[in-house]
Amino acid sequence: MSTSQDPEVRPGRRTVVTAAGAASVAAVLTACGGSKEAADSGRVKQTDGSEADGSRADGGGTVLAKTTDIPEGGGKIFTRQKVVVTQPTAGEFKAFSSKCTHMGCAVSSVTDGTINCPCHGSKFDMATGSVKVGPATEPLPATPITVQDGSISLAS
Ligand code: FES
């Protein structure tokens, strides 16, 4: 038996699989960790300086953001919750599914009054979710939210 076949020298199958698994996890974490949007989507600074990570507000649903986090005339996409929140006019907040009704891509931006899908160019009205530009033919479904004390939460 040669030295390279000695079981004490060669890594066991379990060791190799574990190492490969750890590498995969690291790759996934690296891929996710580079997005400020992804980081922002699940963590919300609270007024007391603490952070919420998809926690529940008192008696309400998952806290998404503070109202001040949503630009007036724009919006913000919450990747983890698959929701896009918009503020079409000052103090008016809307939320929609971030899954494009054409073929299911995630919308990627809110600009010039529309929620935009990068896959085939569909654009949805940021106030109503209706289709402004196809190929999508169905509006983005509304997502119920509550706005209370400066916080926007998913309705429970
Ligand atoms: S999946 Fe959004 S435009 Fe096709």
Side-chain angles (χ1 to χ4, degrees), residues 100-107 117-124 134-136:
C100 179
T101 56
H102 177 231
M103 293 183 70
C105 287
V107 298
C117 180
C119 290
H120 310 100
S122 289
K123 294 177 182 286
F124 303 89

Side-chain angles (χ1 to χ4, degrees), residues 77 84 98 100 106-119 121-124 140:
I77 298 163
V84 54
S98 63
C100 179
V107 298
S108 62
S109 64
V110 182
T111 56
D112 299 326
T114 60
I115 301 164
N116 311 308
C117 180
C119 290
S122 289
K123 294 177 182 286
F124 303 89
L140 292 177

